[in-house]
Amino acid sequence: MSPSILKSRIGIENQVDEFLDQLSEASLLFKQGVSAFLQDDDAGFKQQVESIIHAEHKGDGLRRSLEKTLYSKTLIPESRGDVLELFESMDSLLGRFKGALIRFDVEHPEIYPEFHPSFMELTKCVMESSEAMVRSVRAFFKDINAVADHMHKVSFWETESDKISTALQREIFRRKDMRLSHRIQLRDFVRHMDKIADRAEDVADRLSIYVIKRSS
């Protein structure tokens, strides 16, 4: 096993794990929130919105704490800049999950039942891409040799997300009985969701560069 990048500093390792837990939780809350919205479960949806806001807020606090610790204790000076960029990218991803769910709450789009399966499949792909990215980052901090075991799954789920997004947008615009404004609104929701998977892949791409730098 490759040694931890944090050199067994238990306190900060626990903070990293907790931060990644918030991102993982946000992806699950997003999936549950979309499901509740499609089922017209207003109470359940509101609960998921409140929970994801809390997760994002907690994640922000953890990121700031991690950044302060890395600077004040001069930990991993040779990799500190890369690690800080990684945290900021993941924090941005966490914010995208929150933003997407809040957008459902604000606009409350009318999504016809025939679109529900595709919306849920897209949501699943977005969640899985983020989960694979989280597992890749955990490996980066604990056993860098294991990163590749998870990295390829990020790209797989991002590609699946693109496929479903394209098919769903095509399906939406073939519904000529819908107002154009309605079709455009749903298209924008689909694109917004798909971009979360794109962002997860961006983080994974950045991580792959860090792995090369650490391994060289």
Side-chain angles (χ1 to χ4, degrees):
M1 176 181 289
S2 175
S4 166
I5 188 175
L6 298 173
K7 298 179 176 63
S8 301
R9 294 182 179 270
I10 302 302
I12 194 169
E13 283 187 344
N14 289 342
Q15 282 184 288
V16 169
D17 276 334
E18 191 173 1
F19 176 78
L20 292 172
D21 286 346
Q22 294 307 306
L23 182 50
S24 182
E25 181 178 341
S27 70
L28 292 170
L29 291 170
F30 175 70
K31 182 174 182 291
Q32 292 173 353
V34 173
S35 177
F37 181 87
L38 295 177
Q39 295 175 37
D40 292 324
D41 179 5
D42 291 338
F45 176 71
K46 291 291 186 183
Q47 181 179 350
Q48 302 309 317
V49 171
E50 291 174 4
S51 295
I52 206 168
I53 290 173
H54 175 73
E56 193 265 347
H57 179 72
K58 186 174 181 180
D60 275 344
L62 286 165
R63 176 185 56 80
R64 287 191 292 268
S65 177
L66 282 164
E67 290 175 348
K68 182 178 179 181
T69 300
L70 287 172
Y71 273 116
S72 64
K73 298 185 181 300
T74 63
L75 297 176
I76 52 173
E78 73 285 359
S79 303
R80 185 169 55 200
D82 293 342
V83 170
L84 290 173
E85 287 183 359
L86 190 61
F87 288 148
E88 289 171 1
S89 296
M90 290 187 293
D91 192 45
S92 174
L93 181 60
L94 206 166
R96 285 177 181 265
F97 277 118
K98 183 195 76 171
L101 208 55
I102 287 178
R103 187 171 182 179
F104 274 95
D105 189 32
V106 171
E107 296 190 28
H108 213 83
E110 181 183 4
I111 302 176
Y112 293 171
E114 54 264 41
F115 298 146
H116 288 190
S118 294
F119 264 90
M120 283 310 303
E121 190 64 25
L122 177 59
T123 302
K124 175 187 174 182
C125 291
V126 168
M127 183 197 74
E128 292 289 355
S129 67
S130 178
E131 281 292 288
M133 185 275 295
V134 167
R135 288 191 289 270
S136 298
V137 175
R138 286 193 198 277
F140 177 70
F141 286 106
K142 296 177 182 295
D143 178 14
I144 202 167
N145 294 325
V147 173
D149 295 340
H150 308 289
M151 190 86 75
H152 71 282
K153 295 177 183 177
V154 182
S155 294
F156 172 82
W157 287 111
E158 189 277 333
T159 299
E160 291 300 301
S161 176
D162 280 346
K163 292 177 183 176
I164 295 168
S165 169
T166 300
L168 181 52
Q169 290 179 67
R170 186 176 291 116
E171 187 180 354
I172 288 168
F173 274 91
R174 283 177 177 170
R175 284 291 302 266
K176 301 302 182 182
D177 59 325
M178 295 170 60
R179 299 184 312 278
L180 178 60
S181 59
H182 189 187
R183 282 179 276 168
I184 289 173
Q185 181 193 36
L186 294 188
R187 179 204 63 190
D188 288 347
F189 267 86
V190 172
R191 285 181 173 177
H192 193 65
M193 293 168 68
D194 185 37
K195 284 181 180 178
I196 300 175
D198 292 341
R199 184 60 176 168
E201 187 176 46
D202 289 343
V203 176
D205 288 343
R206 182 170 294 182
L207 180 63
S208 67
I209 295 173
Y210 300 158
V211 170
I212 293 171
K213 290 169 67 175
R214 285 283 299 173
S215 302
S216 60

